[in-house]
């Protein structure tokens, strides 16, 4: 699989040094020019040491500058927009469906490339040791938060979620040092969600963020940040496209929890199944 260089840069951004952020900013703004530059030329342009550029390449998972350039070239020369073509007004129903599925598959592949497995491990550890887990999200993200609640409560976790933002902020104020707030926002800039996060942090809770932007306020404030990737089209916003990645991230956290807490999780799952069976004819 071709490595998603730009996605890796975005996902690692919060952990870069100031010098590395200079390199990252330049590459994100001028990916085409990097393809034709040597490591020496890039270092001179940014007034940083060649060793800084080399460490930057290693930090995002490449053996060196040349390996990063090859990945970047394949990404720039064959952009994602060519993989899942834009939906056109005269497309028939079958074509639209095929393009949507291909777009979702690409979102998952890009998000997989961006995954930081140390962050996944830290998030799982926080969730596993939490007394209480609250899932927060407003607007479209509230649907993702409710899906997370639906999964985690089955695993025997003391999980909670509310769709109303006022209920969310009241609940966040009651968290404590042994609790975890999971905050979901594609942009990472939603005022209501940031406010809820601030209240949860003030109460002493740990926080996990699921967002699409490493430089966003939410990404910078949480204890562990997990990132998704998506592409915007004329008929579907970037935020809408990101949901398939968010749901998959939550699935990954849930299954890890099930494995590490297998005995208790299985007992809880059986209790839920037995209770739900009473609702069926």
């Amino acid at each position: 699989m071709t490595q998603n260089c730009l996605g890796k840069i975005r996902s690692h951004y919060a952990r870069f040094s100031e010098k590395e952020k200079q390199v990252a900013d330049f590459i994100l703004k001028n990916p085409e020019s990097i393809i034709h530059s040597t490591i020496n030329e890039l270092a001179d342009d940014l007034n940083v040491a060649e060793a800084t550029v080399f460490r930057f390449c290693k930090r995002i998972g490449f053996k060196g500058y040349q390996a990063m350039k090859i990945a970047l070239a394949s990404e720039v020369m064959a952009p994602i927009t060519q993989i899942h073509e834009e939906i056109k007004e005269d497309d028939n129903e079958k074509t639209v469906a095929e393009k949507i599925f291909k777009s979702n598959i690409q979102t998952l592949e890009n998000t997989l490339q961006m995954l930081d497995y140390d962050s996944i491990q830290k998030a799982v550890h926080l969730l596993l040791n939490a007394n209480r887990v609250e899932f927060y999200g407003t607007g479209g993200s509230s649907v993702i938060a409710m899906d997370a609640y639906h999964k985690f409560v089955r695993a025997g976790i003391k999980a909670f979620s509310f769709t109303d933002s006022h209920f969310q902020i009241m609940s966040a104020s009651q968290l404590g040092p042994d609790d975890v707030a999971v905050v979901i926002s594609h942009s990472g800039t939603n005022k209501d969600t940031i406010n809820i996060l601030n209240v949860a942090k003030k109460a002493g809770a740990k926080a996990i963020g699921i967002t699409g932007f490493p430089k966003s306020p939410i990404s910078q404030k949480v204890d562990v940040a997990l990132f998704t990737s998506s592409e915007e089209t004329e008929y579907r916003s970037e935020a809408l496209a990101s949901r398939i990645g968010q749901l998959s991230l939550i699935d990954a956290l849930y299954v890890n929890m099930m494995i590490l807490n297998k005995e208790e999780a299985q007992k809880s799952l059986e209790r839920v199944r037995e209770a739900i069976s009473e609702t069926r004819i």
Side-chain angles (χ1 to χ4, degrees):
M1 186 188 296
T2 302
Q3 295 197 64
N4 181 359
C5 181
L6 297 177
K8 282 177 173 288
I9 293 172
R10 293 187 185 101
S11 69
H12 284 76
Y13 193 90
R15 292 178 294 281
F16 289 149
S17 67
E18 289 307 310
K19 292 288 186 182
E20 289 170 340
K21 285 180 180 178
Q22 277 185 252
V23 179
D25 290 339
F26 187 84
I27 294 174
L28 291 172
K29 291 176 182 175
N30 312 281
E32 295 87 355
S33 67
I34 298 298
I35 298 167
H36 306 291
S37 298
T38 65
I39 188 171
N40 179 263
E41 289 170 338
L42 178 60
D44 285 346
D45 287 342
L46 298 177
N47 195 29
V48 298
E50 287 184 32
T52 299
V53 179
F54 181 76
R55 282 197 303 272
F56 172 86
C57 298
K58 296 279 285 184
R59 179 74 72 92
I60 60 174
F62 296 100
K63 291 181 179 179
Y65 183 72
Q66 191 62 27
M68 184 196 72
K69 279 211 315 181
I70 292 170
L72 188 59
S74 65
E75 195 172 345
V76 172
M77 301 306 289
I80 293 167
T81 50
Q82 292 179 9
I83 298 172
H84 56 83
E85 302 170 72
E86 287 281 353
I87 293 171
K88 299 180 177 62
E89 288 184 16
D90 58 353
D91 285 343
N92 61 31
E93 291 83 356
K94 178 177 180 291
T95 302
V96 170
E98 287 176 348
K99 288 181 178 179
I100 289 295
F101 271 79
K102 287 178 182 178
S103 176
N104 285 344
I105 290 167
Q106 192 63 50
T107 292
L108 290 175
E109 289 183 347
N110 292 346
T111 298
L112 181 60
Q113 288 285 357
M114 291 174 68
L115 282 186
D116 182 298
Y117 293 102
D118 286 340
S119 295
I120 291 283
Q121 187 177 44
K122 289 175 184 175
V124 170
H125 178 77
L126 286 177
L127 293 167
L128 190 63
N129 291 283
N131 175 59
R132 174 186 179 101
V133 178
E134 293 263 1
F135 294 96
Y136 301 110
T138 60
S141 294
S142 68
V143 179
I144 308 300
M146 289 302 296
D147 177 80
Y149 162 73
H150 178 253
K151 290 183 174 75
F152 276 73
V153 76
R154 288 169 173 260
I157 305 298
K158 290 182 181 177
F160 302 88
S161 186
F162 301 93
T163 55
D164 184 273
S165 61
H166 287 182
F167 285 1
Q168 290 183 43
I169 203 164
M170 285 191 293
S171 185
S173 71
Q174 301 304 307
L175 297 178
D178 296 326
D179 302 324
V180 173
V182 181
V183 182
I184 304 161
S185 169
H186 174 65
S187 69
T189 60
N190 182 277
K191 288 182 180 179
D192 285 342
T193 309
I194 292 171
N195 198 18
I196 291 164
L197 173 59
N198 288 337
V199 170
K201 292 291 287 182
K202 185 177 180 180
K206 296 291 189 296
I208 298 168
I210 298 177
T211 179
F213 296 90
K215 296 171 73 173
S216 68
I218 285 177
S219 297
Q220 302 297 316
K221 289 174 181 285
V222 295
D223 297 282
V224 181
L226 303 174
F227 302 107
T228 58
S229 174
S230 62
E231 294 296 313
E232 184 163 352
T233 68
E234 184 179 355
Y235 295 99
R236 192 165 67 151
S237 71
E238 188 177 293
L240 183 61
S242 74
R243 290 180 194 173
I244 192 76
Q246 293 170 344
L247 290 168
S248 298
L249 261 180
I250 288 164
D251 280 352
L253 295 174
Y254 166 72
V255 174
N256 270 293
M257 293 282 293
M258 291 290 288
I259 292 169
L260 293 173
N261 195 33
K262 186 176 180 179
E263 188 174 335
E264 286 301 315
Q266 287 294 344
K267 288 178 182 177
S268 175
L269 202 56
E270 286 303 317
R271 289 195 296 269
V272 170
R273 284 172 177 163
E274 183 179 347
I276 290 176
S277 68
E278 299 295 326
T279 68
R280 293 175 182 146
I281 296 174

Short mmCIF file of all heavy atoms in Angstrom, two decimals, residues 94-140:
data_model
loop_
_atom_site.label_atom_id
_atom_site.label_comp_id
_atom_site.label_asym_id
_atom_site.label_seq_id
_atom_site.Cartn_x
_atom_site.Cartn_y
_atom_site.Cartn_z
N LYS A 94 -26.42 3.54 -9.72
CA LYS A 94 -25.35 2.55 -9.52
C LYS A 94 -23.99 3.23 -9.44
O LYS A 94 -23.17 2.90 -8.57
CB LYS A 94 -25.37 1.55 -10.67
CG LYS A 94 -24.28 0.48 -10.61
CD LYS A 94 -24.42 -0.50 -11.76
CE LYS A 94 -23.33 -1.58 -11.72
NZ LYS A 94 -21.99 -1.04 -12.02
N THR A 95 -23.75 4.18 -10.33
CA THR A 95 -22.47 4.88 -10.35
C THR A 95 -22.25 5.68 -9.08
O THR A 95 -21.16 5.69 -8.50
CB THR A 95 -22.39 5.81 -11.58
OG1 THR A 95 -22.57 5.03 -12.77
CG2 THR A 95 -21.05 6.53 -11.64
N VAL A 96 -23.30 6.37 -8.63
CA VAL A 96 -23.21 7.15 -7.39
C VAL A 96 -22.86 6.23 -6.21
O VAL A 96 -21.98 6.53 -5.40
CB VAL A 96 -24.52 7.90 -7.10
CG1 VAL A 96 -24.51 8.49 -5.69
CG2 VAL A 96 -24.74 9.01 -8.12
N ALA A 97 -23.55 5.10 -6.13
CA ALA A 97 -23.31 4.15 -5.05
C ALA A 97 -21.87 3.65 -5.08
O ALA A 97 -21.19 3.58 -4.04
CB ALA A 97 -24.28 2.97 -5.14
N GLU A 98 -21.38 3.32 -6.28
CA GLU A 98 -20.00 2.82 -6.41
C GLU A 98 -18.98 3.88 -5.98
O GLU A 98 -18.01 3.58 -5.28
CB GLU A 98 -19.73 2.42 -7.86
CG GLU A 98 -20.42 1.12 -8.26
CD GLU A 98 -20.21 0.79 -9.74
OE1 GLU A 98 -19.73 1.68 -10.49
OE2 GLU A 98 -20.51 -0.34 -10.13
N LYS A 99 -19.22 5.14 -6.35
CA LYS A 99 -18.29 6.21 -6.00
C LYS A 99 -18.29 6.48 -4.50
O LYS A 99 -17.25 6.76 -3.91
CB LYS A 99 -18.62 7.48 -6.78
CG LYS A 99 -18.27 7.38 -8.27
CD LYS A 99 -18.59 8.67 -9.02
CE LYS A 99 -18.17 8.55 -10.48
NZ LYS A 99 -18.48 9.78 -11.25
N ILE A 100 -19.46 6.38 -3.88
CA ILE A 100 -19.55 6.58 -2.43
C ILE A 100 -18.78 5.48 -1.70
O ILE A 100 -18.03 5.74 -0.76
CB ILE A 100 -21.02 6.62 -1.96
CG1 ILE A 100 -21.69 7.91 -2.42
CG2 ILE A 100 -21.10 6.47 -0.45
CD1 ILE A 100 -21.13 9.18 -1.80
N PHE A 101 -18.98 4.23 -2.13
CA PHE A 101 -18.27 3.12 -1.49
C PHE A 101 -16.76 3.26 -1.66
O PHE A 101 -15.99 3.04 -0.72
CB PHE A 101 -18.76 1.78 -2.06
CG PHE A 101 -19.94 1.22 -1.34
CD1 PHE A 101 -21.21 1.70 -1.58
CD2 PHE A 101 -19.80 0.21 -0.40
CE1 PHE A 101 -22.32 1.20 -0.91
CE2 PHE A 101 -20.89 -0.31 0.28
CZ PHE A 101 -22.15 0.19 0.03
N LYS A 102 -16.32 3.64 -2.86
CA LYS A 102 -14.89 3.81 -3.10
C LYS A 102 -14.33 4.95 -2.26
O LYS A 102 -13.20 4.88 -1.75
CB LYS A 102 -14.63 4.07 -4.58
CG LYS A 102 -14.82 2.83 -5.45
CD LYS A 102 -14.61 3.15 -6.92
CE LYS A 102 -14.84 1.90 -7.79
NZ LYS A 102 -14.69 2.21 -9.24
N SER A 103 -15.11 6.01 -2.10
CA SER A 103 -14.69 7.14 -1.28
C SER A 103 -14.53 6.71 0.18
O SER A 103 -13.56 7.08 0.85
CB SER A 103 -15.71 8.27 -1.38
OG SER A 103 -15.37 9.34 -0.53
N ASN A 104 -15.49 5.91 0.67
CA ASN A 104 -15.41 5.43 2.05
C ASN A 104 -14.22 4.51 2.26
O ASN A 104 -13.54 4.57 3.30
CB ASN A 104 -16.70 4.71 2.43
CG ASN A 104 -17.85 5.67 2.69
OD1 ASN A 104 -17.64 6.86 2.87
ND2 ASN A 104 -19.06 5.15 2.69
N ILE A 105 -13.96 3.66 1.28
CA ILE A 105 -12.80 2.76 1.36
C ILE A 105 -11.51 3.57 1.42
O ILE A 105 -10.60 3.28 2.21
CB ILE A 105 -12.78 1.80 0.15
CG1 ILE A 105 -13.93 0.78 0.27
CG2 ILE A 105 -11.44 1.06 0.05
CD1 ILE A 105 -14.20 0.00 -0.99
N GLN A 106 -11.44 4.63 0.60
CA GLN A 106 -10.25 5.47 0.60
C GLN A 106 -10.08 6.20 1.93
O GLN A 106 -8.97 6.34 2.45
CB GLN A 106 -10.32 6.50 -0.54
CG GLN A 106 -9.00 7.22 -0.80
CD GLN A 106 -7.91 6.27 -1.25
OE1 GLN A 106 -8.10 5.47 -2.16
NE2 GLN A 106 -6.76 6.34 -0.59
N THR A 107 -11.20 6.66 2.51
CA THR A 107 -11.14 7.30 3.83
C THR A 107 -10.56 6.36 4.87
O THR A 107 -9.71 6.74 5.68
CB THR A 107 -12.55 7.75 4.27
OG1 THR A 107 -12.99 8.81 3.43
CG2 THR A 107 -12.55 8.24 5.71
N LEU A 108 -10.99 5.10 4.84
CA LEU A 108 -10.48 4.11 5.79
C LEU A 108 -9.00 3.84 5.56
O LEU A 108 -8.21 3.74 6.52
CB LEU A 108 -11.28 2.81 5.68
CG LEU A 108 -12.72 2.85 6.18
CD1 LEU A 108 -13.42 1.54 5.91
CD2 LEU A 108 -12.76 3.18 7.67
N GLU A 109 -8.58 3.72 4.31
CA GLU A 109 -7.17 3.48 4.01
C GLU A 109 -6.30 4.65 4.46
O GLU A 109 -5.23 4.45 5.05
CB GLU A 109 -6.98 3.20 2.52
CG GLU A 109 -7.53 1.86 2.08
CD GLU A 109 -7.28 1.56 0.61
OE1 GLU A 109 -6.89 2.51 -0.11
OE2 GLU A 109 -7.46 0.40 0.20
N ASN A 110 -6.77 5.87 4.20
CA ASN A 110 -6.01 7.05 4.62
C ASN A 110 -5.92 7.15 6.14
O ASN A 110 -4.87 7.49 6.70
CB ASN A 110 -6.65 8.31 4.05
CG ASN A 110 -6.52 8.40 2.55
OD1 ASN A 110 -5.76 7.67 1.94
ND2 ASN A 110 -7.28 9.30 1.95
N THR A 111 -7.04 6.87 6.81
CA THR A 111 -7.05 6.92 8.28
C THR A 111 -6.13 5.86 8.86
O THR A 111 -5.40 6.11 9.83
CB THR A 111 -8.49 6.74 8.81
OG1 THR A 111 -9.30 7.82 8.33
CG2 THR A 111 -8.53 6.73 10.33
N LEU A 112 -6.12 4.68 8.25
CA LEU A 112 -5.23 3.61 8.70
C LEU A 112 -3.77 4.03 8.60
O LEU A 112 -2.96 3.77 9.49
CB LEU A 112 -5.47 2.34 7.87
CG LEU A 112 -4.63 1.11 8.22
CD1 LEU A 112 -4.87 0.69 9.66
CD2 LEU A 112 -4.94 -0.03 7.27
N GLN A 113 -3.43 4.73 7.51
CA GLN A 113 -2.06 5.21 7.33
C GLN A 113 -1.69 6.25 8.38
O GLN A 113 -0.53 6.37 8.78
CB GLN A 113 -1.91 5.84 5.94
CG GLN A 113 -1.91 4.84 4.80
CD GLN A 113 -0.60 4.06 4.69
OE1 GLN A 113 0.34 4.30 5.43
NE2 GLN A 113 -0.54 3.13 3.76
N MET A 114 -2.68 6.99 8.87
CA MET A 114 -2.43 8.05 9.84
C MET A 114 -2.37 7.55 11.28
O MET A 114 -1.93 8.28 12.17
CB MET A 114 -3.53 9.12 9.75
CG MET A 114 -3.51 9.94 8.49
SD MET A 114 -4.94 11.05 8.39
CE MET A 114 -4.57 12.19 9.73
N LEU A 115 -2.81 6.32 11.52
CA LEU A 115 -2.91 5.83 12.90
C LEU A 115 -1.56 5.84 13.61
O LEU A 115 -0.56 5.37 13.07
CB LEU A 115 -3.47 4.40 12.92
CG LEU A 115 -4.97 4.23 12.75
CD1 LEU A 115 -5.35 2.77 12.96
CD2 LEU A 115 -5.76 5.11 13.70
N ASP A 116 -1.56 6.36 14.80
CA ASP A 116 -0.38 6.33 15.67
C ASP A 116 -0.67 5.26 16.72
O ASP A 116 -1.54 5.45 17.58
CB ASP A 116 -0.17 7.70 16.32
CG ASP A 116 1.07 7.74 17.19
OD1 ASP A 116 1.12 6.98 18.18
OD2 ASP A 116 1.97 8.53 16.89
N TYR A 117 0.04 4.13 16.65
CA TYR A 117 -0.31 3.00 17.49
C TYR A 117 0.04 3.22 18.96
O TYR A 117 -0.58 2.62 19.84
CB TYR A 117 0.31 1.72 16.93
CG TYR A 117 -0.31 1.36 15.61
CD1 TYR A 117 0.36 1.63 14.41
CD2 TYR A 117 -1.59 0.83 15.54
CE1 TYR A 117 -0.24 1.35 13.19
CE2 TYR A 117 -2.20 0.54 14.34
CZ TYR A 117 -1.51 0.81 13.16
OH TYR A 117 -2.11 0.54 11.95
N ASP A 118 0.99 4.10 19.24
CA ASP A 118 1.26 4.47 20.63
C ASP A 118 0.05 5.19 21.22
O ASP A 118 -0.32 4.97 22.38
CB ASP A 118 2.49 5.37 20.72
CG ASP A 118 3.79 4.60 20.51
OD1 ASP A 118 3.77 3.37 20.67
OD2 ASP A 118 4.82 5.23 20.18
N SER A 119 -0.56 6.06 20.40
CA SER A 119 -1.75 6.79 20.86
C SER A 119 -2.93 5.85 21.08
O SER A 119 -3.69 6.00 22.04
CB SER A 119 -2.13 7.88 19.85
OG SER A 119 -1.11 8.86 19.78
N ILE A 120 -3.08 4.86 20.18
CA ILE A 120 -4.15 3.85 20.35
C ILE A 120 -3.95 3.12 21.67
O ILE A 120 -4.89 2.93 22.45
CB ILE A 120 -4.14 2.84 19.18
CG1 ILE A 120 -4.57 3.51 17.87
CG2 ILE A 120 -5.02 1.65 19.50
CD1 ILE A 120 -6.05 3.73 17.74
N GLN A 121 -2.71 2.71 21.93
CA GLN A 121 -2.40 1.98 23.17
C GLN A 121 -2.69 2.83 24.40
O GLN A 121 -3.28 2.35 25.39
CB GLN A 121 -0.93 1.56 23.15
CG GLN A 121 -0.54 0.65 24.31
CD GLN A 121 0.91 0.19 24.21
OE1 GLN A 121 1.80 0.99 23.93
NE2 GLN A 121 1.15 -1.09 24.44
N LYS A 122 -2.31 4.11 24.36
CA LYS A 122 -2.57 5.01 25.49
C LYS A 122 -4.06 5.20 25.71
O LYS A 122 -4.54 5.21 26.85
CB LYS A 122 -1.90 6.36 25.24
CG LYS A 122 -0.38 6.33 25.34
CD LYS A 122 0.20 7.68 24.94
CE LYS A 122 1.73 7.63 24.93
NZ LYS A 122 2.31 8.91 24.44
N ALA A 123 -4.81 5.34 24.61
CA ALA A 123 -6.26 5.53 24.71
C ALA A 123 -6.92 4.30 25.32
O ALA A 123 -7.79 4.42 26.21
CB ALA A 123 -6.85 5.83 23.33
N VAL A 124 -6.52 3.13 24.87
CA VAL A 124 -7.08 1.88 25.40
C VAL A 124 -6.77 1.75 26.89
O VAL A 124 -7.64 1.37 27.69
CB VAL A 124 -6.53 0.66 24.62
CG1 VAL A 124 -6.91 -0.65 25.32
CG2 VAL A 124 -7.06 0.66 23.19
N HIS A 125 -5.55 2.11 27.28
CA HIS A 125 -5.16 2.04 28.69
C HIS A 125 -6.03 2.98 29.54
O HIS A 125 -6.49 2.59 30.62
CB HIS A 125 -3.69 2.42 28.84
CG HIS A 125 -3.20 2.43 30.26
ND1 HIS A 125 -2.90 1.28 30.96
CD2 HIS A 125 -2.99 3.47 31.12
CE1 HIS A 125 -2.53 1.61 32.18
NE2 HIS A 125 -2.56 2.93 32.31
N LEU A 126 -6.25 4.20 29.05
CA LEU A 126 -7.08 5.15 29.78
C LEU A 126 -8.50 4.62 29.94
O LEU A 126 -9.09 4.69 31.03
CB LEU A 126 -7.11 6.50 29.07
CG LEU A 126 -5.86 7.39 29.16
CD1 LEU A 126 -6.06 8.65 28.32
CD2 LEU A 126 -5.57 7.76 30.60
N LEU A 127 -9.07 4.10 28.86
CA LEU A 127 -10.44 3.59 28.88
C LEU A 127 -10.58 2.39 29.80
O LEU A 127 -11.56 2.26 30.54
CB LEU A 127 -10.88 3.23 27.47
CG LEU A 127 -11.04 4.41 26.49
CD1 LEU A 127 -11.16 3.90 25.07
CD2 LEU A 127 -12.24 5.26 26.86
N LEU A 128 -9.59 1.51 29.75
CA LEU A 128 -9.64 0.27 30.53
C LEU A 128 -9.60 0.55 32.04
O LEU A 128 -10.20 -0.17 32.83
CB LEU A 128 -8.47 -0.64 30.14
CG LEU A 128 -8.49 -2.07 30.67
CD1 LEU A 128 -9.70 -2.83 30.13
CD2 LEU A 128 -7.21 -2.79 30.27
N ASN A 129 -8.90 1.62 32.41
CA ASN A 129 -8.73 1.92 33.83
C ASN A 129 -9.66 3.02 34.34
O ASN A 129 -9.56 3.45 35.50
CB ASN A 129 -7.27 2.33 34.09
CG ASN A 129 -6.31 1.16 33.93
OD1 ASN A 129 -6.21 0.30 34.79
ND2 ASN A 129 -5.62 1.12 32.80
N ALA A 130 -10.57 3.46 33.48
CA ALA A 130 -11.48 4.54 33.86
C ALA A 130 -12.61 4.03 34.76
O ALA A 130 -13.12 2.92 34.57
CB ALA A 130 -12.07 5.19 32.62
N ASN A 131 -12.99 4.85 35.71
CA ASN A 131 -14.17 4.55 36.51
C ASN A 131 -15.44 4.81 35.70
O ASN A 131 -16.42 4.08 35.81
CB ASN A 131 -14.17 5.42 37.78
CG ASN A 131 -15.42 5.25 38.60
OD1 ASN A 131 -15.74 4.16 39.05
ND2 ASN A 131 -16.15 6.35 38.82
N ARG A 132 -15.39 5.86 34.88
CA ARG A 132 -16.55 6.27 34.09
C ARG A 132 -16.04 6.86 32.77
O ARG A 132 -15.04 7.58 32.75
CB ARG A 132 -17.32 7.34 34.88
CG ARG A 132 -18.49 8.01 34.18
CD ARG A 132 -19.03 9.13 35.07
NE ARG A 132 -20.15 9.84 34.45
CZ ARG A 132 -21.42 9.64 34.75
NH1 ARG A 132 -21.74 8.75 35.66
NH2 ARG A 132 -22.39 10.33 34.15
N VAL A 133 -16.72 6.54 31.68
CA VAL A 133 -16.34 7.05 30.36
C VAL A 133 -17.52 7.81 29.77
O VAL A 133 -18.63 7.27 29.67
CB VAL A 133 -15.93 5.92 29.39
CG1 VAL A 133 -15.57 6.50 28.02
CG2 VAL A 133 -14.75 5.14 29.95
N GLU A 134 -17.27 9.07 29.40
CA GLU A 134 -18.32 9.90 28.78
C GLU A 134 -17.92 10.20 27.33
O GLU A 134 -16.78 10.58 27.06
CB GLU A 134 -18.46 11.23 29.53
CG GLU A 134 -19.01 11.09 30.93
CD GLU A 134 -20.51 11.35 31.01
OE1 GLU A 134 -21.12 11.61 29.96
OE2 GLU A 134 -21.04 11.30 32.13
N PHE A 135 -18.86 10.03 26.42
CA PHE A 135 -18.63 10.34 25.00
C PHE A 135 -19.36 11.63 24.65
O PHE A 135 -20.57 11.75 24.87
CB PHE A 135 -19.13 9.19 24.12
CG PHE A 135 -18.35 7.92 24.31
CD1 PHE A 135 -18.81 6.92 25.16
CD2 PHE A 135 -17.16 7.72 23.64
CE1 PHE A 135 -18.09 5.75 25.35
CE2 PHE A 135 -16.42 6.55 23.81
CZ PHE A 135 -16.89 5.56 24.67
N TYR A 136 -18.61 12.59 24.10
CA TYR A 136 -19.18 13.90 23.79
C TYR A 136 -19.03 14.24 22.31
O TYR A 136 -17.98 13.99 21.70
CB TYR A 136 -18.46 14.99 24.61
CG TYR A 136 -18.55 14.81 26.09
CD1 TYR A 136 -17.43 14.46 26.84
CD2 TYR A 136 -19.76 14.99 26.76
CE1 TYR A 136 -17.50 14.31 28.21
CE2 TYR A 136 -19.84 14.84 28.14
CZ TYR A 136 -18.71 14.48 28.86
OH TYR A 136 -18.79 14.32 30.22
N GLY A 137 -20.07 14.83 21.76
CA GLY A 137 -20.03 15.32 20.39
C GLY A 137 -21.31 16.09 20.12
O GLY A 137 -22.37 15.73 20.63
N THR A 138 -21.21 17.16 19.36
CA THR A 138 -22.40 17.95 19.03
C THR A 138 -22.70 17.83 17.54
O THR A 138 -21.81 17.49 16.75
CB THR A 138 -22.21 19.43 19.40
OG1 THR A 138 -21.09 19.96 18.69
CG2 THR A 138 -21.97 19.59 20.89
N GLY A 139 -23.94 18.11 17.15
CA GLY A 139 -24.32 18.00 15.75
C GLY A 139 -24.15 16.58 15.25
O GLY A 139 -24.54 15.61 15.91
N GLY A 140 -23.52 16.44 14.08
CA GLY A 140 -23.30 15.11 13.51
C GLY A 140 -22.42 14.23 14.38
O GLY A 140 -22.57 13.00 14.40
#
